[in-house]
Amino acid sequence: MKWRFVVPAVAFVALVAFFAFVLKRAGTGDYNPHAIQSPLLGKPAPQFQLPQVEDMTKTVDTRAFSGRPYLVNVWGTWCVGCRQEHDALIAIARQNAVPIVGIDWNDELQPAQQWLGSLGNPYVATAFDNQGKVAIDWGVYGAPETFLVDAKGIVQYKYAGPLTMEVWQREFIPRIQQAGSP
Amino acid sequence: MRRSVLVILSSFLVAVLAHAIDSAPAFDDPVLQARYQNLTRELRCLVCQNETIADSNVQLAGDLRRELRGLIAAGKSDEEVLKFLTDRYGDFVLYRPPFIARTWVLWGTPIIALLGACAIAFVIIKRRAQLPLDDDSEVGTKAQ
């Protein structure tokens, strides 16, 4: 057996196996090499008070949600993935498991209001974050992103990417059950 | 010869047309401005992750530069500014990876690879040097 042929052959097989593994994971839709582990996990959710998209005379205040678990969903009318997940969000909102608070990120008011008006509004309230300051506090680097905050106000989970019913069942439901009591 | 000189000179003109990504007004205080520019080169754009926020023209980079200016204007130190960002985005936002236990693979691999390659080269060269001198086979006799 000539060693100079064995080594490249083994290396080739190892590479093929590695690429097959990566491709398989990429195919599940969950593989995201750009994903950043959120440093907010296990820490108190950043508080904010922002005008409400649905009614700019009102304020969306995170303090109103303390004592029970809630979702925070970051979206924008410019965001294709947000359009993709919108129907899933409507279905999730109908389940009434937890309130969903929206953060309308780096967006314009009119398009945002039209979006909610014509596509349906899954949010109990949507915060108008056109400056992006609150999104930065939450460590948002893309849309859509969805956070689960527990009843104690601690960020328990973050999902980057369009929500699907499958992700909701697999990742959120079990954690919501744990996030229940204050 | 004239034409190539013309081409080279006109390429300088094109370089001058490069637009500034950071269009915010500079700090009055040159020390603050220098700190600001330095920090923008130390922070990663989380969207175009191989660029710094100095170089990236995406919305988030602009927002982060704005936050940076606010923090510096409020008198925060460089450490406080970096902490503000790592609190929100983690260590990954630092463009230069910190040299800590978790990143030893990142820092160590090039050095290890280089040493490994040197060792292999050394062994190969040593082996070749031990071949008999009159093994001339086809070296030097084949036309290249």
Side-chain angles (χ1 to χ4, degrees):
Chain A
M1 184 98 71
K2 291 226 168 119
W3 283 107
R4 30 192 258 267
F5 295 129
V6 167
V7 170
V10 167
F12 177 71
V13 169
L15 265 182
V16 167
F18 175 66
F19 289 149
F21 169 70
V22 168
L23 278 175
K24 186 153 172 284
R25 270 192 72 194
T28 66
D30 248 354
Y31 178 67
N32 184 3
H34 283 178
I36 300 171
Q37 172 83 350
S38 172
L40 291 185
L41 297 181
K43 301 244 173 64
Q47 300 292 297
F48 59 85
Q49 292 84 41
L50 284 175
Q52 184 175 350
V53 170
E54 295 92 342
D55 180 351
M56 289 293 270
T57 64
K58 296 209 183 95
T59 302
V60 181
D61 190 335
T62 39
R63 290 171 298 190
F65 300 102
S66 68
R68 52 187 168 132
Y70 60 98
L71 286 187
V72 172
N73 174 261
V74 179
W75 63 277
T77 56
W78 43 267
C79 159
V80 177
C82 306
R83 180 65 192 90
Q84 281 172 352
E85 75 168 2
H86 194 82
D87 294 334
L89 276 179
I90 300 270
I92 289 166
R94 281 212 194 100
Q95 289 182 4
N96 253 325
V98 283
I100 312 179
V101 180
I103 296 183
D104 182 29
W105 182 36
N106 278 345
D107 212 351
E108 287 168 38
L109 188 60
Q110 281 271 30
Q113 287 171 336
Q114 274 167 0
W115 168 285
L116 293 175
S118 60
L119 298 176
N121 191 346
Y123 307 108
V124 297
T126 307
F128 187 56
D129 188 18
N130 63 335
Q131 299 259 308
K133 271 179 171 288
V134 169
I136 287 175
D137 278 344
W138 284 75
V140 170
Y141 60 95
E145 287 185 5
T146 308
F147 298 81
L148 172 64
V149 182
D150 70 12
K152 295 196 188 76
I154 307 290
V155 177
Q156 286 300 337
Y157 183 65
K158 163 176 169 169
Y159 185 76
L163 265 190
T164 61
M165 293 312 287
E166 198 258 333
V167 170
W168 170 247
Q169 294 287 350
R170 197 185 71 219
E171 303 287 355
F172 283 88
I173 299 266
R175 289 182 168 92
I176 288 170
Q177 283 161 355
Q178 289 182 324
S181 42
Chain B
M1 180 61 183
R2 276 260 184 93
R3 180 176 266 186
S4 56
V5 168
L6 195 61
V7 166
I8 291 170
L9 284 179
S10 50
S11 67
F12 288 142
L13 282 177
V14 171
V16 162
L17 287 175
H19 69 283
I21 285 174
D22 191 354
S23 52
F27 282 93
D28 286 337
D29 180 352
V31 172
L32 290 182
Q33 180 64 13
R35 277 182 58 211
Y36 165 69
Q37 285 180 331
N38 194 40
L39 282 169
T40 57
R41 285 192 277 270
E42 290 293 328
L43 291 164
R44 185 188 308 274
C45 171
L46 286 327
V47 179
C48 305
Q49 293 177 348
N50 56 355
E51 290 184 333
T52 63
I53 61 174
D55 301 322
S56 173
N57 56 4
V58 300
Q59 178 76 31
L60 180 62
D63 290 349
L64 288 172
R65 288 195 299 266
R66 186 199 61 216
E67 292 299 306
L68 217 59
R69 284 194 298 276
L71 290 168
I72 292 174
K76 301 286 179 196
S77 69
D78 284 3
E79 290 74 35
E80 286 170 314
V81 171
L82 293 177
K83 183 175 188 305
F84 178 91
L85 283 154
T86 52
D87 279 350
R88 286 153 178 74
Y89 290 99
D91 280 343
F92 191 61
V93 76
L94 299 173
Y95 198 64
R96 211 191 301 253
F99 190 52
I100 56 178
R102 220 167 14 100
T103 56
W104 75 265
V105 176
L106 178 67
W107 285 102
T109 307
I111 299 167
I112 293 171
L114 183 64
L115 288 175
C118 285
I120 293 171
F122 181 73
V123 166
I124 290 176
I125 291 171
K126 204 150 177 276
R127 281 215 195 123
R128 291 262 173 90
Q130 282 164 1
L131 289 173
L133 279 171
D134 56 353
D135 177 22
D136 52 351
S137 36
E138 286 136 290
V139 171
T141 58
K142 250 197 185 157
Q144 288 297 311

